Amino acid sequence: MKKLFNAPETMVDDMIDGYVSAFAQVARGKQDDRVVVRATGVKNPDRKVTLLIGNGSGHEPIAMGFVGPGILDANVVGDVFAAPSADLILDGIREVSGKAGSILLISQHSGDMINGRAAVMLAEEEGLNVRALPMYDDISSAPRDRVHDRRGAPGTMFIYKILGAAAEEGMQLDDLMILGEAVRARTVTLAAALSPGISPLTGRAMFELPDDEIYLGMGVHGEPGIGRTGVGPVRDLVSLIVDKLLEDYPIASGGQVAVIVNGMGGTTMMELLTVWNETSKTLAARGIDAIAPMIGSFVTTQEMGGFSISLLEPDGDMLRLWAAPSDTPYFPAIQIPNKE
């Protein structure tokens, strides 16, 4: 498949150059060009806890698309499908950290975890106040009794946004960590892949899948899931996914969930809106109110066809923070319906 880039060696930096020139909210960091930060900086990092994350490129708009007031203070951008090095993440921590401290969000994948934890240790040796918050939500990657072994998936965006809003309001480090762990415990995700993405490095498909099959539980890098199912009406596929999510994380009739319907990069909005419609109806049939949806392609794997459904059962102030205002290039406005 044809790809649009100048050279493999420059594709990531060319992308970042285009990004920071297109959007006034962001800039390259002073510590390293691979660190994307708020263009205006953090007004008072000695009072506001800062949030950042490192991740491989190729999954845009996550995570640099969420840098700005109300969400992330920095994103450390690695090579294509590769975690940034510990030294590069350390540069990101140095860029934004102040006396109030920082939280390094780490989507649970082996390279991200190893390099992220190493960066935190290096930062602590320099006297920087930083904590690591692993994020995981993919029910296909480990059973409920091994929840800490699960992969990070698009449901981690609940943590980005809720913690980002709380930090913007002045919540301090210990309470933010408790909140992040609570959001993580209440979030589940399951994906369905229809077709592979093409690696911009190799030009080859990332996996093989017959035209009449759908892969359940595919990870964001093409990691294996829990099985295959046949192609059919989307209502049947959504019902299957919702049943598996609720089997893993039961929600009583009369409850409510915030929902993310995420496209993998090659799925149209027509399809994603249909998935949301069926998700809402399927949950309603089980007595559960689906609210405050985020619908679109935010965690992508090039042009991979497919989607994931993420559910968060909100508690306390989570729903308000999920819908709080933010100003980033790619995070959408979240609406909570007025029930009055």
Side-chain angles (χ1 to χ4, degrees), residues 2 4 8 14 38-39 64 70 77 94 113 179 187 218 226 230 256 294 302 329 337:
K2 301 179 181 71
L4 299 173
D14 290 344
R38 295 189 190 191
M64 64 183 186
V77 184
R94 289 169 175 157
M113 291 297 297
L179 176 61
T187 300
M218 180 68 69
I226 57 175
Q256 62 178 10
M294 178 177 177
Q302 300 297 291

Side-chain angles (χ1 to χ4, degrees), residues 43-62:
K43 290 183 179 179
N44 193 341
D46 289 341
R47 297 186 64 182
K48 179 198 176 298
V49 176
T50 52
L51 270 65
L52 71 157
I53 188 170
N55 60 273
S57 55
H59 302 292
E60 293 73 32
I62 207 171

Side-chain angles (χ1 to χ4, degrees), residues 121-140:
M121 291 177 62
L122 292 170
E124 289 173 340
E125 289 175 1
E126 294 186 5
L128 299 175
N129 184 14
V130 60
R131 309 269 190 90
L133 180 64
M135 303 183 297
Y136 41 81
D137 57 307
D138 182 357
I139 69 167
S140 73

Side-chain angles (χ1 to χ4, degrees), residues 324-338:
S326 60
D327 183 14
T328 73
Y330 282 100
F331 202 94
I334 305 296
Q335 303 293 326
I336 300 176
N338 187 346

Side-chain angles (χ1 to χ4, degrees), residues 3 5 7 29 45 53 87 108-109 116 128 130 145 147 154 161 183 199 201 208 213 253-255 257 269 276 303 330:
K3 295 275 186 177
F5 58 86
I53 188 170
D87 287 339
Q108 186 149 283
H109 301 276
L128 299 175
V130 60
D145 61 1
V147 65
K161 179 58 173 63
V183 174
S199 169
L201 299 177
E208 294 182 358
E213 291 184 353
S253 178
V257 290
M269 279 302 297
W276 153 250
E303 61 283 87
Y330 282 100

Side-chain angles (χ1 to χ4, degrees), residues 22-252:
F23 298 106
Q25 298 101 318
V26 293
R28 284 186 184 266
K30 297 176 182 177
Q31 296 280 334
D32 193 290
D33 282 350
R34 286 288 188 90
V35 179
V36 175
V37 298
R38 295 189 190 191
T40 56
V42 181
K43 290 183 179 179
N44 193 341
D46 289 341
R47 297 186 64 182
K48 179 198 176 298
V49 176
T50 52
L51 270 65
L52 71 157
I53 188 170
N55 60 273
S57 55
H59 302 292
E60 293 73 32
I62 207 171
M64 64 183 186
F66 304 157
V67 173
I71 311 186
L72 295 176
D73 298 292
N75 175 220
V76 184
V77 184
D79 290 329
V80 176
F81 303 154
S85 68
D87 287 339
L88 182 53
I89 298 170
L90 176 60
D91 284 340
I93 295 170
R94 289 169 175 157
E95 187 81 40
V96 299
S97 190
K99 291 180 181 178
S102 299
I103 295 176
L104 176 66
L105 303 174
I106 309 176
S107 185
Q108 186 149 283
H109 301 276
S110 58
D112 297 271
M113 291 297 297
I114 292 168
N115 294 352
R117 289 195 182 280
V120 168
M121 291 177 62
L122 292 170
E124 289 173 340
E125 289 175 1
E126 294 186 5
L128 299 175
N129 184 14
V130 60
R131 309 269 190 90
L133 180 64
M135 303 183 297
Y136 41 81
D137 57 307
D138 182 357
I139 69 167
S140 73
S141 54
R144 170 57 61 176
D145 61 1
R146 291 194 293 111
V147 65
H148 297 295
D149 295 330
R150 289 180 171 177
R151 295 185 296 244
T156 60
M157 290 187 288
F158 285 123
I159 297 178
Y160 285 54
K161 179 58 173 63
I162 291 170
L163 260 64
E168 206 72 41
E169 293 179 359
M171 185 178 287
Q172 292 303 290
L173 189 57
D174 289 343
D175 289 335
L176 284 168
M177 289 294 294
I178 292 170
L179 176 61
E181 291 166 356
V183 174
R184 183 181 67 194
R186 290 173 165 269
T187 300
V188 286
T189 296
L190 184 60
L194 281 68
S195 61
I198 307 299
S199 169
L201 299 177
T202 67
R204 295 193 294 268
M206 298 176 68
F207 58 88
E208 294 182 358
L209 186 65
D211 289 342
D212 60 349
E213 291 184 353
I214 293 172
Y215 216 144
L216 282 180
M218 180 68 69
V220 296
H221 302 103
E223 301 96 332
I226 57 175
R228 303 187 183 198
T229 187
V231 174
V234 69
R235 69 175 69 89
D236 296 340
L237 178 59
V238 168
S239 180
L240 175 63
I241 291 173
V242 169
D243 282 347
K244 289 185 177 297
L245 291 170
L246 295 179
E247 179 182 348
D248 184 271
Y249 185 89
I251 298 172

Side-chain angles (χ1 to χ4, degrees), residues 285-308:
R286 291 152 178 78
I288 301 167
D289 191 14
I291 58 173
M294 178 177 177
I295 307 163
S297 294
F298 302 103
V299 185
T300 67
T301 307
Q302 300 297 291
E303 61 283 87
M304 186 186 292
F307 65 93
S308 61

